[in-house]
Amino acid sequence: MEILEGTVIAMHGPLVRVQAGSQTLVVASRRRLNWEGGSPPAARLVVGDRVSLELKDEDGVIVAVHARRSSLLRRAPATRRAEVLAANVDQALLVFAAREPPLKQGLLDRFLVACSFAGIAAVIIVNKVDQGLAEIAPLLAVYEGLGYTVRRVSARSGWGLGEIKRLLVDRTSLFCGPSGAGKSSLLNAVY
């Protein structure tokens, strides 16, 4: 039996995708995990958690979760309890489309507040700039005037992707934003 350290990079129901060095493993998680520093109030694994896993042949199981250095939270609408979305994140790349789907300022503001509360740097990424920026340019100027970093890119044409790649170096980054904004396309384009 081998003990490995890794980072949770995706959750698939009862299975967890863990990056352990150069290996990407899909493993199970014990029901009762050993939480370093004691079990947190919302004791469930999330993307970004640093974990220890036991590996025997091809099968692995997560046995422990290391203390979190940061947690991105949101309030569950029905219960108003804090729900952990991600852990150990250095920065959040808030991805919105230039036109379709339309940028919802309220959603962007909620992301910015959650990042500020968690002490996570937020970068506003406007994808699909090939669709045109005329409609949202005044809004982007407001955020830039408030000191936020705003990057304009196009995953389709490759415009501005070099800036995104530089942002990712030596940082644990969370890509978030509405459905259809091009998060997956952007990730595929930079990796």
Side-chain angles (χ1 to χ4, degrees):
M1 187 174 319
E2 180 181 6
I3 301 292
L4 294 176
E5 303 293 317
T7 302
V8 174
I9 58 172
M11 306 291 293
H12 306 284
L15 298 177
V16 182
R17 187 178 304 268
V18 176
Q19 188 70 40
S22 62
Q23 299 180 66
T24 301
L25 306 165
V26 177
V27 298
S29 174
R30 283 192 181 158
R31 286 195 187 273
R32 291 187 181 252
L33 292 168
N34 178 18
W35 291 84
E36 183 181 314
S39 180
R44 68 176 186 87
L45 283 174
V46 295
V47 171
D49 272 327
R50 300 277 306 142
V51 296
S52 296
L53 53 109
E54 292 178 354
L55 192 62
K56 184 177 180 182
D57 300 323
E58 296 292 318
D59 295 325
V61 64
I62 296 172
V63 295
V65 184
H66 301 283
R68 293 172 175 161
R69 61 179 167 75
S70 69
S71 296
L72 185 63
L73 306 171
R74 78 169 185 166
R75 297 270 177 214
T79 63
R80 302 294 299 153
R81 284 193 317 223
E83 178 182 348
V84 179
L85 299 177
N88 304 316
V89 175
D90 297 319
Q91 68 180 351
L93 279 67
L94 311 177
V95 181
F96 288 83
R99 287 185 58 203
E100 288 297 324
L103 190 151
K104 294 183 179 174
Q105 186 178 359
L107 179 60
L108 175 55
D109 290 346
R110 285 193 300 277
F111 277 134
L112 291 170
V113 168
C115 290
S116 177
F117 183 74
I120 297 170
V123 179
I124 300 167
I125 308 293
V126 180
N127 191 19
K128 304 181 184 182
V129 296
D130 45 306
Q131 294 178 347
L133 288 167
E135 294 174 26
I136 64 167
L139 181 61
L140 298 180
V142 169
Y143 287 107
E144 288 172 317
L146 292 170
Y148 289 104
T149 301
V150 178
R151 295 290 179 255
R152 296 152 179 85
V153 301
S154 172
R156 187 172 64 169
S157 73
W159 193 84
L161 293 182
E163 290 182 62
I164 303 305
K165 288 179 182 180
R166 285 188 291 281
L167 284 172
L168 300 176
V169 174
D170 295 330
R171 293 186 184 111
T172 302
S173 303
L174 173 70
F175 282 69
C176 51
S179 178
K183 297 179 298 292
S184 296
S185 297
L186 195 54
L187 279 166
N188 290 334
V190 297
Y191 284 108

